[in-house]
Amino acid sequence: MSLVDIISACFGGGSRDSGGSTLRQAPYLDANEAAQLPLDAFVQRSLESAPSALEQSNAFTDIFRKHVASGAADFARVAHVVQDSQLRLASNDTDRATAQWACQMLALLGEREKSGYRPPGLNGQSYAQVAGADSGDWEKQNQAPPAAIRPPSSHQRSEVYIRTFFFPSEESFSQLIGFLDSAQRTLDICVFNITDNDIARAIVAAKERGVEVRIITDDEQLECRGNDVRRLQEDHGIPFKTDNDPEKFMHNKFAIIDRRAVWTGSYNWTVGARRSNNESAICTNDPAATQAFSGEFEDLWSKF
């Protein structure tokens, strides 16, 4: 569910008693006036005027999307404004509880948006703390040797994780799909083979939501039965490159999302690996690891 969806769910049409009669008369807010409001005022007044907001749903949704796209939406702040407004407007304990839970979901969504992919089920005490290089200028990875191992600097993310996965396991597979689904800007894939249609669908979904997707794969595997890579290019315009060397394998299995988290291991992106093989993989947002894999991908992309 998107942030806009959750906000929309918070827009009640006014509190009603058990007989269905309206207990609060909501003021009218015109979409043209709403478009001129800053974000906090827009959220507050659209909630106060929820019936008119719903009458002009397309316009109000567009206004809110523009606020989000502009980068002005601090999700925690939006959740706070929604909660304050809903608690003030609620007429009973059920309304108030509904408002509080809706806003907790907003706040959780905001945490995910800020931190990028975070494997579910981990709390702050169970993250593996890993030393890493500074987070900026990932492109310079190829121009200088890795920095000496040291504790993460103060401006890095406070929580660095490493998560392990083993196959065959549908739970582990669902984590891979969640990883792909969390890509917001870029998805760079470097794998020996792709034959799992569920993975292919996740890649297509990333492309359709505006993520820049690139694939590197093995030239011989490209011609194997069931390989999805060529179809992803022909049907969805996703570019790919191969090693174009019959004497060698392009045997990597890694993917990087948004140049801030990497998935890698023995796991091939195939149905056999998912359901039959003994495989392993890790996912991490460690800056040094992510920069190194990003640099390797760019090297191979240029080479091939």
Side-chain angles (χ1 to χ4, degrees):
M1 179 176 285
S2 70
L3 178 62
V4 173
D5 293 332
I6 298 176
I7 283 282
S8 298
C10 294
F11 285 177
S15 299
R16 297 176 179 272
D17 64 19
S18 59
S21 60
T22 302
L23 299 177
R24 175 179 64 84
Q25 291 299 318
Y28 183 81
L29 177 61
D30 181 74
N32 290 329
E33 180 183 356
Q36 304 305 313
L37 297 172
L39 178 59
D40 284 9
F42 169 77
V43 172
Q44 179 179 332
R45 291 193 57 190
S46 60
L47 286 168
E48 293 172 348
S49 311
S52 54
L54 291 175
E55 287 174 7
Q56 308 165 86
S57 177
N58 290 340
F60 273 68
T61 298
D62 287 343
I63 294 168
F64 187 71
R65 287 189 190 279
K66 288 177 182 178
H67 281 296
V68 173
S70 72
D74 182 315
F75 295 156
R77 174 65 184 168
V78 170
H80 179 73
V81 174
V82 170
Q83 179 168 304
D84 281 355
S85 298
Q86 289 287 74
L87 293 179
R88 177 168 47 82
L89 298 171
S91 63
N92 55 57
D93 288 343
T94 299
D95 284 353
R96 283 185 281 274
T98 301
Q100 285 185 289
W101 172 237
C103 294
Q104 285 183 43
M105 289 191 288
L106 273 175
L108 290 170
L109 179 66
E111 287 180 7
R112 183 176 183 272
E113 292 290 339
K114 285 185 177 180
S115 62
Y117 176 75
R118 174 182 290 183
L122 295 182
N123 56 44
Q125 301 303 316
S126 60
Y127 282 83
Q129 297 300 315
V130 180
D134 290 344
S135 58
D137 296 332
W138 65 270
E139 295 91 344
K140 294 182 179 177
Q141 181 69 28
N142 298 327
Q143 302 172 16
I149 295 177
R150 59 188 184 278
S153 56
S154 59
H155 68 272
Q156 289 176 275
R157 288 186 295 270
S158 60
E159 293 179 329
V160 176
Y161 63 76
I162 296 179
R163 183 78 183 273
T164 56
F165 304 98
F166 299 96
F167 298 83
S169 165
E170 285 302 303
E171 174 60 25
S172 293
F173 181 77
S174 71
Q175 296 301 306
L176 172 57
I177 297 299
F179 177 83
L180 299 175
D181 287 347
S182 70
Q184 300 174 27
R185 296 182 298 278
T186 61
L187 173 57
D188 291 330
I189 298 167
C190 185
V191 292
F192 185 57
N193 197 0
I194 302 176
T195 64
D196 192 313
N197 290 340
D198 288 333
I199 292 177
R201 278 189 281 271
I203 295 170
V204 171
K207 170 74 172 180
E208 290 180 345
R209 65 176 178 269
V211 176
E212 179 186 351
V213 182
R214 298 182 293 177
I215 299 173
I216 295 174
T217 193
D218 183 74
D219 56 343
E220 294 183 25
Q221 293 300 309
L222 185 68
E223 307 305 326
C224 289
R225 180 179 180 183
N227 187 285
D228 291 314
V229 175
R230 195 181 300 280
R231 177 174 62 84
L232 290 172
Q233 182 194 54
E234 293 175 351
D235 295 350
H236 303 282
I238 296 173
F240 73 85
K241 291 188 176 183
T242 72
D243 55 329
N244 197 30
D245 187 343
E247 302 300 320
K248 299 177 182 178
F249 289 132
M250 201 306 297
H251 210 237
N252 281 304
K253 297 106 176 175
F254 68 85
I256 313 121
I257 57 169
D258 302 329
R259 301 189 181 110
R260 63 185 182 187
V262 61
W263 175 290
T264 187
S266 70
Y267 182 72
N268 273 314
W269 292 17
T270 64
V271 175
R274 172 183 173 182
R275 298 179 178 171
S276 304
N277 295 358
N278 294 315
E279 306 278 4
S280 60
I282 66 166
C283 173
T284 182
N285 65 347
D286 173 55
T290 304
Q291 290 171 16
F293 276 98
S294 292
E296 178 66 9
F297 186 93
E298 295 300 332
D299 271 356
L300 294 176
W301 191 260
S302 298
K303 177 181 177 181
F304 297 155

